[in-house]
Amino acid sequence: MKTKDLREKSVEELTALLDEQQLNQFRLRMAKATGQLGKSHEVQVARKAVARIKTLLTEKQGNGQ
């Protein structure tokens, strides 16, 4: 998901999306650890998505929005 799209979401929506992405990241890490993950780059993509969401949450909470 692009940052532009994420900026339009509320804090509640971002928090829900963060939970979803963290669960996805966990599943990908477990699949990689057991050798069941064919596309290992997906772990990095998920990690960056989590970081992007956390950054936007920090920005929104810092500005008092």
Side-chain angles (χ1 to χ4, degrees):
M1 185 170 276
K2 297 194 179 236
T3 307
K4 179 182 174 183
D5 299 331
L6 291 174
R7 286 191 191 277
E8 297 171 356
K9 295 188 180 289
S10 68
V11 174
E12 294 81 19
E13 290 173 325
L14 286 173
T15 304
L17 189 60
L18 178 63
D19 290 341
E20 181 182 318
Q21 285 294 325
Q22 285 178 328
L23 182 60
N24 182 37
Q25 181 185 19
F26 174 76
R27 288 182 179 148
L28 289 171
R29 280 187 299 147
M30 291 300 110
K32 183 178 180 184
T34 59
Q36 298 174 348
L37 185 63
K39 300 176 183 175
S40 60
H41 72 279
E42 289 180 357
V43 176
Q44 286 182 328
V45 171
R47 190 177 81 230
K48 288 181 180 182
V50 167
R52 191 173 294 122
I53 294 169
K54 283 184 176 182
T55 300
L56 289 173
L57 277 171
T58 302
E59 284 179 6
K60 286 184 179 268
Q61 290 172 349
N63 293 335
Q65 292 182 1

